[in-house]
Amino acid sequence: MTGRGLIDIHHHFVPPFYLEENREAIVESWGGKLSPPWSSWTPEKSIEAMDRNGISRAILSLSSPGVWVGDASGVRKLARRVNEYGAGLGRDHPGRYGLFASVPLPDTEGSLREIEHALDVLKADGIALLTSYEGKWLGDESYRPVLDELDRRGAVVFVHPTVPRSCRTLLPGVPPVVTEIPQDTSRAIANLLYSGTLSRCRKIRFIFTHAGGAMPITYGRMVQFAPKELARDAPEGIAFEIGRHHYDIAATAHAPAIAALRSLVPASQVLFGTDSPFAPAESTVAGMRNVGFSDRELRAIGRGNSLSLLRRADREPAPFGGAITVPG
């Protein structure tokens, strides 16, 4: 691949204070176990992994459980600290980092305040939302003011899966990241679609992670068993609503997942993402070359599509130039 480097749309960071102060809640949200990258992440290791894989810029986001960690009184402050820390990394490493800012849903008023600060003051590239909060998915009526504000702004909204409390220990011995993470993305998309939110919030540009999770596999059922109200709530149809949003391929650069996704959306809607540090960047960088994309599609997925989507992704010059070698 040639150009100024890959843009990693799905790149996590772990602020030290976030892990230190909320370790118990984070561990509980992941079914009682944390993978080693949680405690070993540093900006230096992040940059090293980017350089090793030809990634010129990464858009930072907080992984699940986000900032809603059970302390409602302190969640607004935590969101602000996390976002200020992420913006600070961008200043410390010019051109290397962007930010999808966290908001304290299900706190509506706090979320509206943080959207304003993140987009107007910090100049974040977009807003990161989880697929669900406390058993309510993103199309829930209680979230309408937040989604409508993001729509008014024409914001990029990065939707990251989480594991609902009721599903964290369903299968002993099977990590919820295997079974529940893909499912919650599918639930969120179905909820946004059936509630009419996708159609109503026409200006939001959603990014759904991990190739849409289980959604491409359940798409036929979404169509077959759609409620009769869908003709009113999504008048242009399911295919239109699904096909106009974006999907990253973090941890899903495998032939079956990509084949399912490509049956629903064109390559122009596919974005490069790594899920770093929780998945090795090398796996996506190498895998994307072996799933049938053309050279032109690889250039678009690796960089061009993100540049078209993000309002700030290429504002500052990236440190890479010339040819980028993607390991096979």
Side-chain angles (χ1 to χ4, degrees):
M1 295 180 64
T2 60
R4 289 166 49 194
L6 299 165
I7 295 177
D8 184 356
I9 207 79
H10 188 155
H11 193 102
H12 295 303
F13 67 128
V14 185
F17 62 85
Y18 171 75
L19 180 61
E20 180 180 351
E21 298 171 9
N22 303 286
R23 179 180 290 271
E24 184 176 344
I26 295 169
V27 169
E28 195 274 335
S29 75
W30 284 102
K33 293 183 179 180
L34 284 186
S35 58
W38 276 99
S39 56
S40 63
W41 181 90
T42 65
E44 293 74 23
K45 289 181 180 178
S46 169
I47 293 287
E48 180 185 351
M50 290 167 62
D51 290 349
R52 190 170 61 247
N53 289 282
I55 299 169
S56 63
R57 188 176 180 88
I59 313 302
L60 298 171
S61 59
L62 205 60
S63 186
S64 172
V67 296
W68 190 260
V69 288
D71 179 11
S73 63
V75 70
R76 294 185 185 185
K77 182 182 294 185
L78 179 59
R80 180 63 53 90
R81 291 175 68 196
V82 164
N83 293 336
E84 294 282 358
Y85 180 84
L89 289 176
R91 292 190 296 270
D92 293 342
H93 303 277
R96 303 309 303 273
Y97 288 129
L99 176 66
F100 288 139
S102 298
V103 298
L105 275 179
D107 175 359
T108 298
E109 182 58 32
S111 295
L112 292 173
R113 292 182 184 180
E114 196 58 30
I115 288 169
E116 180 180 21
H117 181 76
L119 298 182
D120 295 345
V121 178
L122 299 182
K123 305 300 181 184
D125 294 284
I127 298 297
L129 299 180
L130 296 179
T131 46
S132 61
Y133 299 85
E134 299 297 320
K136 294 182 179 179
W137 282 261
L138 292 180
D140 192 88
E141 184 66 20
S142 62
Y143 303 148
R144 178 185 282 258
V146 171
L147 272 295
D148 284 352
E149 173 61 12
L150 292 170
D151 182 62
R152 184 186 72 80
R153 289 173 171 270
V156 174
V157 176
F158 178 82
V159 179
H160 192 276
T162 189
V163 182
R165 191 177 303 277
S166 60
C167 301
R168 291 172 184 171
T169 58
L170 283 179
L171 293 174
V174 179
V177 68
V178 174
T179 53
E180 292 308 317
I181 286 296
Q183 290 294 345
D184 219 53
T185 298
S186 181
R187 294 182 188 111
I189 294 173
N191 183 237
L192 286 165
L193 175 69
Y194 284 3
S195 67
T197 306
L198 288 185
S199 180
R200 185 183 82 248
C201 297
R202 187 55 54 84
K203 295 179 183 178
I204 290 179
R205 294 163 289 168
F206 283 106
I207 301 171
F208 297 109
T209 59
H210 306 137
M215 183 276 296
I217 306 302
T218 59
Y219 174 82
R221 288 175 176 267
M222 290 168 60
V223 173
Q224 183 177 2
F225 300 106
K228 61 182 180 180
E229 294 82 11
L230 194 64
R232 176 197 66 206
D233 296 333
E236 295 189 75
I238 293 177
F240 173 82
E241 297 296 349
I242 295 297
R244 68 188 181 87
H245 293 292
H246 294 78
Y247 303 82
D248 78 38
I249 57 172
T252 47
H254 309 292
I258 298 302
L261 179 64
R262 294 195 72 183
S263 70
L264 297 178
V265 303
S268 62
Q269 307 308 110
V270 181
L271 307 172
F272 172 76
T274 66
D275 214 348
S276 178
F278 304 113
E282 290 82 356
S283 63
T284 302
V285 174
M288 67 189 289
R289 297 191 61 169
N290 298 300
V291 292
F293 292 123
S294 68
D295 288 345
R296 176 175 292 184
E297 289 172 334
L298 284 172
R299 288 193 294 271
I301 292 166
R303 182 176 178 86
N305 293 345
S306 290
L307 288 179
S308 298
L309 178 64
L310 300 176
R311 65 180 184 179
R312 297 180 60 248
D314 205 34
R315 181 172 297 175
E316 298 169 301
F320 285 96
I324 298 298
T325 301
V326 180

